């Protein structure tokens, strides 16, 4: 390989990273200008949280696997840093590409910055302005250390400029997660998940919960369950449960409460294709996920976000998203509006068109 070929380590760690890196890595592999390496920190390691996505997204096995596993924020971040430092030492990459806002993102950005390796941050500039979210800290630190910042919307550019990031470092390229969604939508329709669960199109709502603000607090989780109890009198609800949430439902003694909801189907976390089929065909979605706010906007499925803020305001301004917090009454009222066919409409934001990875790789090749 010639000297001008850039060696880039692409980092994935947690579930929402896989669908963001998949289309970028695939295009880098075809590039004669880039020598890409795929590194998995192992922040998520269960088959359902990790391997299932590699299979569904047809991603190659990671070249490097750090096996860091779970832990407190400091322990997990520190483990990733120590192991990633050795990798950077051995591989001497020109650049490190990081996505999103998870602990793997901040850990690798700190290491790369101190070892003078250029940092590319994909999905830069999103801000919830809520410092109680670990992701907000991860985003701000990573952006402040990055050399090339790729954004999903114009308001992210404005956030970065306000923080003093030079404009020439920032590139508005669109949303790579939507590249993956558009690439897999047809295949996902072949999934048999609705048959397996005995569901008909638009005859159910889907819910996901994993944010500490909802699931690490018994009162908040109980308030959401209370809303689900009322809602389940009107529509079936499907709840693929995140592992963090499974543990807390048990810990807070809410298992019986959950089981008592007759119209609620609980499942293990789903793979990418099954979940895409589930969401695409749902009447509406209740969630505290960041990515799902964006996916529902593109699918045109109404989304009620169980948070008081969002780092993705474009999904509420232009898309199908409505913020409802975790107040029982608000969740019920907004859900009933959708069941009464009063859901708000929406449009697909600029550049959420399936070509974001292409724009990113074109810029990196230059
Ligand atoms: C992480 C991200 C969050 C992202 C989410 C998607 C951070 C700070 N948070 O949250 O931004 O939206 O991933 O899922 O990086 N666990 C397992 N097996 C696994 C993974 C997790 O059992 O494969 C359990 C463990 O008990 C672990 C807990 O889930 O302690 C939380 O996992 P962790 O990666 O710390 O955070 P998430 O809540 O998944």
């Amino acid at each position: 390989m010639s000297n001008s070929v850039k060696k880039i380590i692409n980092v994935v760690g947690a579930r929402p990273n896989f669908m963001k890196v998949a289309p970028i890595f695939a295009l880098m592999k075809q590039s004669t200008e880039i020598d890409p390496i795929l590194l998995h920190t192992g922040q998520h390691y269960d088959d359902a949280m990790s391997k299932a996505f590699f299979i569904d997204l047809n991603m190659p096995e990671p070249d490097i696997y750090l096996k860091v596993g779970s832990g407190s924020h400091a322990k997990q971040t520190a483990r990733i840093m120590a192991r990633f430092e050795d990798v950077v030492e051995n591989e001497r990459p020109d650049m490190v590409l990081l996505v999103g806002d998870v602990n793997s993102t901040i850990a690798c950005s700190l290491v790369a910055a101190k070892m003078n390796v250029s940092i590319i941050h994909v999905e830069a500039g999103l801000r919830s302005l809520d410092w109680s979210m670990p992701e907000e800290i991860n985003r701000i630190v990573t952006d402040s250390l990055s050399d090339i910042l790729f954004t999903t919307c114009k308001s992210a550019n404005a956030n970065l400029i306000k923080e003093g990031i030079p404009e020439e470092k920032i590139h508005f390229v669109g949303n790579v997660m939507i590249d993956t969604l558009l690439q897999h939508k047809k295949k996902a329709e072949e999934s048999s998940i609705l048959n397996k669960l005995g569901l008909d199109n638009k005859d159910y709502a889907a819910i996901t919960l994993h944010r500490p603000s909802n699931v690490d607090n018994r009162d908040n989780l109980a308030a959401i369950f209370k809303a689900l109890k009322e809602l389940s009198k009107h529509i079936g609800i499907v709840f693929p449960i995140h592992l963090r949430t499974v543990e807390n439902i048990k810990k807070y003694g809410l298992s019986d409460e959950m089981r008592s909801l007759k119209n609620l189907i609980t499942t293990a976390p789903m793979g990418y294709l099954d979940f895409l089929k589930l969401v695409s065909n749902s009447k509406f979605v209740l969630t505290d996920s960041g990515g799902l706010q964006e996916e529902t906007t593109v699918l045109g499925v109404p989304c009620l976000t169980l948070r008081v803020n969002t780092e993705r305001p474009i999904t509420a301004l232009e898309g199908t998203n409505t913020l409802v917090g975790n107040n029982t009454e608000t969740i019920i009222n907004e859900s009933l509006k959708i069941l009464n066919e009063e859901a708000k409409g929406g449009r697909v934001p600029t550049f959420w068109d399936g070509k974001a990875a292409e724009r990113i790789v074109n810029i990196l090749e230059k």
Side-chain angles (χ1 to χ4, degrees), residues 43-46 70 73 102-103 135 210 242-244 247:
Q43 174 175 347
H44 284 174
Y45 45 91
D46 280 2
S70 299
H73 281 263
V102 302
N103 284 344
E135 292 82 2
H210 75 282
H242 188 283
L243 301 170
R244 178 188 198 102
E247 282 175 20

Side-chain angles (χ1 to χ4, degrees), residues 297-357:
T297 272
V298 170
L299 294 168
V301 171
C303 177
L304 300 180
T305 295
L306 304 169
R307 288 173 48 190
V308 290
N309 53 49
T310 177
E311 61 288 337
R312 294 161 161 90
I314 196 168
T315 59
L317 288 168
E318 296 188 17
T320 57
N321 190 18
T322 307
L323 293 185
V324 296
N326 48 27
N327 173 275
T328 306
E329 292 303 311
T330 315
I331 299 171
I332 296 170
N333 290 341
E334 291 297 326
S335 301
L336 291 180
K337 273 193 210 164
I338 297 171
L339 294 180
N340 290 330
E341 306 300 336
E342 292 165 28
K344 73 186 244 203
R347 62 163 186 256
V348 177
T350 308
F351 279 0
W352 293 22
D353 58 357
K355 295 186 179 137

Side-chain angles (χ1 to χ4, degrees), residues 186-287:
K186 215 167 138 207
K187 198 163 164 213
E189 275 310 311
E190 292 163 18
S191 152
S192 57
I193 190 72
L194 299 193
N195 288 339
K196 273 191 205 148
L197 298 176
L199 298 167
D200 289 325
N201 278 0
K202 305 288 168 196
D203 214 18
Y204 61 92
I207 178 163
T208 78
L209 289 176
H210 75 282
R211 288 279 158 220
S213 58
N214 285 326
V215 307
D216 290 5
N217 175 310
R218 190 188 190 280
D219 290 347
N220 291 348
L221 195 53
I224 294 170
F225 278 1
K226 207 167 155 198
L228 295 185
K229 192 167 196 166
E230 177 60 29
L231 205 55
S232 66
K233 293 178 189 158
H234 303 271
I235 189 166
I237 303 170
V238 186
F239 185 14
I241 317 184
H242 188 283
L243 301 170
R244 178 188 198 102
T245 311
V246 169
E247 282 175 20
N248 287 345
I249 290 171
K250 276 190 217 140
K251 187 167 101 189
Y252 297 143
L254 290 167
S255 306
D256 288 344
E257 171 76 9
M258 189 173 73
R259 270 194 293 268
S260 73
L261 305 188
K262 292 206 176 56
N263 235 348
L264 180 80
I265 302 174
T266 59
T267 75
M270 288 183 190
Y272 186 77
L273 296 171
D274 284 347
F275 190 65
L276 181 52
K277 166 103 180 190
L278 182 82
V279 168
S280 305
N281 294 287
S282 67
K283 180 79 182 169
F284 69 102
V285 166
L286 293 147
T287 191

Side-chain angles (χ1 to χ4, degrees), residues 66-69 78-88:
L66 302 184
K67 293 193 182 155
V68 298
R79 266 204 300 272
I80 300 167
M81 287 181 70
R83 293 179 197 185
F84 189 61
E85 187 178 53
D86 290 344
V87 171
V88 175

